[in-house]
Amino acid sequence: MSIINLDRFANTTVTRTTRTLSRRSFQTVMLVAYHAGIWPLARRSQEYSSSAAMKSDGFPAEHPLVLAAIRLEAQGMRRWKVGKRLGAPVQTTRLTPSAPSEGELFSVSIGGVTFGIAAQSGDVEADVCDDLVALINPDADAIIATIGSTAGVQTLSGAALNGVVGGAEISPPRNLTFTINGHADWDASTGIVTGLDANGRVQTENVAIPNGLGAGAQVVTLSKIWSQITSFYIPAQSGTGGTATLGTGKVFALDADDASLVTITAADNTTYVGIVADVTGAWYPYTDLTSNLGFLDVTPEPATTLATDLDEIKASDANWYGLAVVDAKSPAQIEAIAEWAEANDVWYVGHSADSVVKTNVATDVATLLLEASYFRTTPFWSRRNHGRAPDAGLLGFVLSRDPGSVDVDYKTIVGLLPDDITADELTILTGSPESPLEGKRCTVYIAIGATGTNTGTPIAWGGMVSGGEWVDVVVGIDAFRADAQTSATVVRLAAARLPYTAAGISALEGAARSSAQRFAAAPYNVLVESSIEVDSTPIEETTSEQRQARHYDGINVGAQVQGAIRVFNIRLNVAA
């Protein structure tokens, strides 16, 4: 028998009335740094799913935001957000040499450019500072060639490259300057420099020679990077009295194919070398420091404060939880961000490479964060990973997993290099294994191995916030709190009218209980299920004022956090 569908006689439509509530993402990282000219001025944040997309947008490959994105990708994170600082920092650092011995090497790479000197017999710390400053700054005496007359065509090569530098290797490779006097004997024309680039390949560069009218020297700055000059051609000039010099400049590059340029100025402060980035907003990694050079970042907070920038970034997009400000490594900036993070319920990882952090001094940034008892800031100390974005790496590892499901200790962060830390320094940074609160509550990246082995396994160690709680507990409880809040609100949204009765209270109690049980089970494993206790104030015990205001303040959830085993003892009893 055939059946005629009821829709022919009584058509029924369904309208969905259930409303949902957007939930906060506890697996999203916000990367922040200064960058200009890449986005429209008004844009403060944007989501990305690859570092390649960021480079397509115009971020240089060596930008700290791209380096941080690469570190997130390496931990398995597939989406993150990028925020723009408008406050442009002026990167300012200090290198402090220890007492030198003859032949001892003092070396550092800044933005990939290596500056190294060997101590001479009788040198003291001030001499090492002098030599490093002379190597970094352009030297007025570092002349390649001198032109004593504009008479005739001159091709300077061989012995005619008669300056102090002459045709010798320029180390580290840098750009050139052409300085002429203001004499009328110079004509507007084009010279040609020939030599080797930073990779040792032959290259040429045109020199725009200006007319020499007017008093005083005129300087033409060349753009290419040179490791050696082999010849300098100057076209015929109409006069005979012009003079000039070809000298070295102050712009460096990692190699001839690298679009990034390093422009810095060093100052000799006798006991340390102060280094300032010439370009406001530029940020350079300091890597491969020899152990005899102490490092300190003293970059001041810019006039447009970090709190102002972070407020505006959050106003443009508030749905994120992890924060790394990847061009803010100085104590002044880290403290400002930590204060903001505490007030805005985000987890901030602040990376410092300052040498003083691993010593017993009590004025370093980690100690200041500890004294402020910040519960949303994890200080990550790493000297070796300056420029490798260890802060982004830690955030990426933890937040690419379900909130609260992983701790920090014993984890491998892909792309980081283990620091060389002594046992005493490790205790200062992270406390003893049995008393972690006694240290500076830093997270570090080290290599561990059994006695008698030569190779170690790299792991993160520390895993606390400055206030003394474990990261997995902080993240897990934050997510549980948000889930409980959202679940109860969904109950209210779904009800046309949630009655102020035992039944209405029971619905709220049930939402709280379900949330607690959810966070006691996999994948979260934040709470101990058997410890969960949920109760509510009976309707009879509420006041008339509460009922009139329609305010119920009676759901109570108690539970124990699961925690994690961190260190352990094994007793072996062996009988003959």
Side-chain angles (χ1 to χ4, degrees):
M1 182 176 65
S2 62
I3 303 295
I4 305 300
N5 195 295
L6 278 176
D7 284 348
R8 179 182 179 91
F9 310 104
N11 186 31
T12 305
T13 60
V14 176
T15 301
R16 180 173 180 176
T17 59
T18 302
R19 290 175 291 167
T20 60
L21 192 68
S22 62
R23 295 175 180 264
R24 183 181 185 184
S25 173
F26 284 86
Q27 295 178 288
T28 302
V29 174
M30 175 65 79
L31 303 175
V32 175
Y34 174 82
H35 57 94
I38 297 174
W39 295 343
L41 183 62
R43 186 189 303 173
R44 299 308 299 268
S45 65
Q46 179 161 317
E47 185 173 286
Y48 286 97
S49 58
S50 71
S51 57
M54 292 175 63
K55 288 185 278 190
S56 295
D57 256 8
F59 285 98
E62 70 283 350
H63 195 284
L65 283 169
V66 175
L67 300 178
I70 291 171
R71 196 62 54 236
L72 289 179
E73 288 176 313
Q75 315 319 311
M77 185 160 278
R78 292 295 171 258
R79 301 194 78 81
W80 57 88
K81 295 178 180 181
V82 172
K84 177 170 63 177
R85 291 177 69 176
L86 294 183
V90 179
Q91 189 184 37
T92 308
T93 60
R94 294 177 181 176
L95 300 176
T96 304
S98 59
S101 58
E102 184 177 357
E104 184 178 3
L105 177 66
F106 292 80
S107 180
V108 59
S109 290
I110 305 174
V113 180
T114 300
F115 302 92
I117 61 99
Q120 305 300 309
S121 176
D123 276 357
V124 295
E125 291 93 325
D127 297 310
V128 174
C129 291
D130 289 342
D131 291 345
L132 285 172
V133 169
L135 188 62
I136 294 172
N137 288 344
D139 185 352
D141 296 326
I143 303 302
I144 297 166
T146 59
I147 296 91
S149 171
T150 52
V153 177
Q154 302 184 64
T155 299
L156 307 178
S157 60
L161 298 173
N162 56 0
V164 174
V165 176
E169 179 184 2
I170 302 171
S171 181
R174 58 205 309 164
N175 72 325
L176 305 178
T177 61
F178 182 60
T179 304
I180 68 173
N181 63 15
H183 205 281
D185 288 295
W186 285 101
D187 301 326
S189 54
T190 301
I192 302 174
V193 177
T194 302
L196 305 180
D197 67 13
N199 295 324
R201 298 175 300 209
V202 175
Q203 70 175 2
T204 63
E205 184 172 4
N206 291 340
V207 182
I209 300 173
N211 183 268
L213 295 176
Q218 298 184 45
V219 179
V220 177
T221 301
L222 283 71
S223 61
K224 291 186 177 181
I225 305 299
W226 300 83
S227 64
Q228 190 174 11
I229 304 303
T230 55
S231 70
F232 182 24
Y233 163 76
I234 301 171
Q237 303 293 308
S238 59
T240 59
T243 62
T245 57
L246 182 68
T248 56
K250 65 175 303 183
V251 179
F252 308 90
L254 177 60
D255 58 50
D257 299 319
D258 192 346
S260 63
L261 298 176
V262 177
T263 57
I264 54 179
T265 298
D268 188 347
N269 291 279
T270 306
T271 58
Y272 66 85
V273 177
I275 301 173
V276 179
D278 291 340
V279 179
T280 300
W283 189 86
Y284 303 122
Y286 280 68
T287 58
D288 301 322
L289 284 88
T290 49
S291 59
N292 49 17
L293 278 177
F295 177 82
L296 181 65
D297 192 327
V298 292
T299 305
E301 189 178 10
T304 301
T305 66
L306 282 153
T308 297
D309 273 329
L310 291 170
D311 279 342
E312 294 179 3
I313 291 168
K314 186 181 179 185
S316 71
D317 185 350
N319 193 16
W320 49 274
Y321 180 69
L323 172 63
V325 185
V326 295
D327 60 350
K329 311 289 185 181
S330 65
Q333 296 183 99
I334 290 173
E335 289 177 71
I337 302 164
E339 183 178 2
W340 185 90
E342 196 75 10
N344 286 271
D345 293 342
V346 302
W347 174 37
Y348 164 55
V349 177
H351 169 224
S352 172
D354 293 352
S355 300
V356 294
V357 176
K358 64 175 182 174
T359 70
N360 275 319
V361 303
T363 56
D364 63 287
V365 65
T367 302
L368 296 175
L369 295 173
L370 184 153
E371 291 173 347
S373 194
Y374 287 129
F375 273 85
R376 298 191 173 281
T377 293
T378 295
F380 195 143
W381 185 87
S382 179
R383 174 182 171 105
R384 196 176 181 192
N385 290 297
H386 197 272
R388 289 180 174 269
D391 42 4
L394 180 58
L395 287 166
F397 183 90
V398 173
L399 299 185
S400 60
R401 280 79 177 169
D402 291 296
S405 64
V406 296
D407 62 1
V408 170
D409 294 316
Y410 299 101
K411 303 305 185 294
T412 297
I413 301 177
V414 179
L416 298 191
L417 304 174
D419 278 287
D420 186 11
I421 301 174
T422 68
D424 288 341
E425 290 169 342
L426 185 61
T427 299
I428 291 169
L429 289 163
T430 68
S432 65
E434 299 80 11
S435 303
L437 291 175
E438 294 177 358
K440 294 185 178 181
R441 303 172 191 172
C442 292
T443 291
V444 296
Y445 201 64
I446 56 175
I448 60 172
T451 301
T453 59
N454 293 323
T455 58
T457 300
I459 64 165
W461 184 255
M464 277 190 165
V465 294
S466 293
E469 186 55 271
W470 299 103
V471 164
D472 53 300
V473 172
V474 172
V475 176
I477 295 302
D478 277 351
F480 168 49
R481 180 184 62 167
D483 185 81
Q485 181 187 56
T486 303
S487 297
T489 305
V490 167
V491 169
R492 182 61 187 88
L493 287 171
R497 181 173 178 267
L498 187 65
Y500 207 129
T501 63
I505 292 171
S506 178
L508 291 175
E509 183 180 328
R513 186 185 304 277
S514 296
S515 181
Q517 291 172 341
R518 187 158 47 250
F519 274 78
Y524 306 108
N525 299 317
V526 173
L527 306 176
V528 177
E529 185 172 13
S530 60
S531 73
I532 297 173
E533 295 181 359
V534 184
D535 61 50
S536 57
T537 302
I539 183 65
E540 297 80 12
E541 297 180 16
T542 61
T543 67
S544 60
E545 289 82 3
Q546 288 174 328
R547 292 193 297 274
Q548 176 63 30
R550 300 191 171 190
H551 175 211
Y552 180 72
D553 182 23
I555 304 294
N556 300 298
V557 180
Q560 177 184 346
V561 296
Q562 288 191 18
I565 296 173
R566 186 173 186 251
V567 295
F568 44 85
N569 296 329
I570 300 175
R571 295 180 178 86
L572 302 177
N573 297 307
V574 180

